[in-house]
Amino acid sequence: MKITAAVVDKKGADFEIRDDVELAPMGPDDLQVHMVATGICHSDEALRIGDAVIGYPIVLGHEGSGIVEKVGPEVTQFKPGDHVVLSFYACGNCKNCLRGIPTQCLNYAHNNLSGTRPDGSAHFTENGKPVADMFDQSSFTTTTVVRERNAVKVDKDLDLRKLGPLGCGYVTGSGTVLDTLKPKPGDTIAVTGTGAVGLAAMMAGKISGCTKIIAIDIVDSRLQLAKDLGATDVVNSKEEDPVEAVKKLTGGLGVDWAVDTTGVKAVMEDTIQMLAQGGTTATIAVTPHHIDVDTWNDLCVNDKKIVGVNMGDSIPQIDVPRLIEFYKQGMFDFDKTEKFYSFDQINEANADSRSGKTIKPVLVIDKDYVPGK
C-alpha cells in the first residue's frame, strides 16, 4: 500500500514529503491507522540531526493520533473506527513487562529504535529499499501500521488533533513526576526548561500537591505560560543565578525534587546544586552532553540522587487516559502549549520547535478531520 510520508534521507537533511512510500502489510496483531495528527518532539530532531541515530533514510514521528481502519485477526482490544493515541511498543512478555514496567522492556531498543518492526521486517520501503521507522510507529505519515500494544483507545468526542503528544512528550514529563519521583503534598519541585516535557512535569507537580513549583527558563513568554499553568515561581536564568534563586525561594534549603528537560551540561549540573538534603534530580532530555559529578561532595554528603527516566516510567494504556481525565478537570491544560501546522509545513514547524517559537508543534495530517466525529 502506497502512502504519503515525510522522509529524512541523511543526517541533518530537511523533511521531504513523498507519495511513493510503501507501507508494510499488516500482521495478525496489527492495526492500520489513518493518521489525523502528530506532534513534533525533540527526539525527532535529535534523530534528524544525528545526536541519536537509528539510520537513514527514515520516517520519524512518534506522537501520533488517528483512527483505526483495519485490525488483524488476533487483535482483541480495538475495532475499525476506534480513535487512538500511539506510543512506544513493549513486548509484554519479558520479566520487566510482566512486572508492569514496559519502559524497561528488555527488548525496548530492538522494538523501538532498531529502525525495523519488532519481527525485523521493514516498516516502510521506497523503490524496493528499506526506510527506517521510529517507535514501531512513524507518525509522519498519512497511514501507518502498528502493533496493538502501540495504541491507546480514547473517546471519540475528544479532538484527536490535540492528543498525539500525550503518547510521548506529555506522558514523559508528567510520568517522571507522578510515576518516578512521586512527590508528596507539601514537597517542593523545580523544573528546568519549559517546553512541552517540562511544562508537563510542572503540571504534574501541581497535581501532586507540591507547594513550591519553580519553573526555570530563559524565555519570558514561556515563563509566563508556566505561571498560567500552575508554577508558583519562575526564574529567568539569563537574569539571575538559578541555584541562588531556588535556594532563596525555599528558605535556603533547596527543592526536594528537580527535573531537567534541557540536556544542557551546566543546567543539568545546576539541578544537583539546587536540591535540598536528600533531594533527587531527574535528567530526562535526549542530549549528547555529559555532566561532571563529584560523587562525594555533590551526592553522598547530602544524600542527593540523580536518576534517569525513560518515557516517564509510564504505562501508556494507563497514563494517557489518566492525563485525559486531568485535562477534563482543568488540571492538565496541555493544549495551551500546542500550535497546529499543516503537514506540508513540517520543516517550518520543526524550525519553530527548534527555535522555541512554538512549544509543541502539531502537524494536522488529515485536513478534513472534524473533531467529535
Side-chain angles (χ1 to χ4, degrees):
M1 174 183 177
K2 286 200 183 295
I3 60 168
T4 300
V7 181
V8 175
D9 273 328
K10 61 183 179 180
K11 178 179 177 179
D14 284 345
F15 294 98
E16 290 188 15
I17 295 180
R18 299 177 186 165
D19 299 324
D20 60 348
V21 177
E22 192 82 23
L23 180 63
M26 290 177 62
D29 63 342
D30 279 344
L31 314 177
Q32 182 176 301
V33 180
H34 167 77
M35 299 307 302
V36 169
T38 178
I40 294 179
C41 176
H42 175 70
S43 299
D44 298 311
E45 177 64 1
L47 287 163
R48 186 187 73 83
I49 66 176
D51 281 352
V53 177
I54 290 177
Y56 305 98
I58 187 169
V59 178
L60 295 170
H62 60 289
E63 290 187 340
S65 59
I67 301 170
V68 177
E69 293 182 316
K70 299 178 183 178
V71 300
E74 295 180 6
V75 171
T76 61
Q77 303 299 312
F78 299 89
K79 63 183 183 301
D82 283 343
H83 288 199
V84 293
V85 167
L86 304 181
S87 194
F88 65 89
Y89 178 81
C91 73
N93 299 315
C94 71
K95 68 177 184 179
N96 287 341
C97 283
L98 293 172
R99 289 165 56 202
I101 318 173
T103 56
Q104 295 179 23
C105 174
L106 295 178
N107 301 301
Y108 186 93
H110 173 74
N111 290 334
N112 295 285
L113 302 172
S114 66
T116 66
R117 305 223 63 203
D119 64 4
S121 63
H123 204 144
F124 308 98
T125 56
E126 190 175 27
N127 300 319
K129 296 181 179 178
V131 177
D133 73 8
M134 183 181 185
F135 268 38
D136 191 35
Q137 176 190 149
S138 291
S139 57
F140 293 169
T141 61
T142 51
T143 308
T144 193
V145 167
V146 300
R147 295 290 177 95
E148 186 172 15
R149 288 182 177 275
N150 284 98
V152 181
K153 191 183 302 184
V154 297
D155 292 342
K156 293 182 180 180
D157 61 347
L158 298 168
D159 188 344
L160 272 175
R161 295 173 302 175
K162 298 179 179 182
L163 301 186
L166 290 172
C168 179
Y170 300 136
V171 83
T172 295
S174 62
T176 296
V177 175
L178 298 174
D179 297 326
T180 306
L181 301 183
K182 300 179 181 178
K184 301 182 296 297
D187 282 356
T188 56
I189 188 168
V191 179
T192 50
T194 55
V197 176
L199 290 171
M202 189 204 74
M203 287 187 282
K206 180 181 178 182
I207 290 167
S208 299
C210 291
T211 51
K212 276 286 182 186
I213 305 162
I214 305 169
I216 302 167
D217 206 306
I218 59 174
V219 180
D220 284 332
S221 60
R222 289 190 174 213
L223 291 171
Q224 181 57 55
L225 178 59
K227 289 196 77 170
D228 294 342
L229 293 176
T232 59
D233 302 274
V234 297
V235 175
N236 186 321
S237 54
K238 261 189 175 180
E239 299 174 356
E240 57 182 320
D241 183 286
V243 175
E244 291 182 5
V246 167
K247 291 291 182 70
K248 184 177 180 180
L249 288 166
T250 55
L253 297 176
V255 287
D256 300 305
W257 312 98
V259 179
D260 175 71
T261 66
T262 71
V264 175
K265 173 182 168 64
V267 179
M268 290 188 284
E269 292 172 354
D270 278 349
T271 64
I272 301 170
Q273 302 308 316
M274 63 181 63
L275 290 175
Q277 189 171 20
T280 298
T281 181
T283 53
I284 61 176
V286 178
T287 178
H289 302 302
H290 299 177
I291 63 173
D292 293 321
V293 178
D294 179 337
T295 56
W296 176 250
N297 291 304
D298 290 341
L299 302 179
C300 297
V301 168
N302 287 304
D303 199 17
K304 297 179 180 180
K305 302 172 184 64
I306 305 171
V307 297
V309 187
N310 179 37
M311 291 295 296
D313 282 339
S314 64
I315 303 173
Q317 290 75 12
I318 294 174
D319 287 10
V320 169
R322 176 175 65 175
L323 292 180
I324 289 173
E325 286 303 312
F326 287 144
Y327 169 68
K328 289 178 178 178
Q329 294 178 33
M331 302 168 68
F332 194 79
D333 294 330
F334 66 90
D335 56 340
K336 291 183 179 178
T337 72
E338 296 179 336
K339 179 181 176 180
F340 293 162
Y341 297 78
S342 62
F343 194 20
D344 60 6
Q345 292 178 298
I346 185 170
N347 287 303
E348 176 187 342
N350 191 55
D352 287 351
S353 174
R354 207 165 55 239
S355 70
K357 181 179 179 180
T358 301
I359 293 177
K360 175 55 67 176
V362 174
L363 301 174
V364 178
I365 297 171
D366 181 353
K367 64 182 187 306
D368 297 321
Y369 166 76
V370 178
K373 293 187 178 180

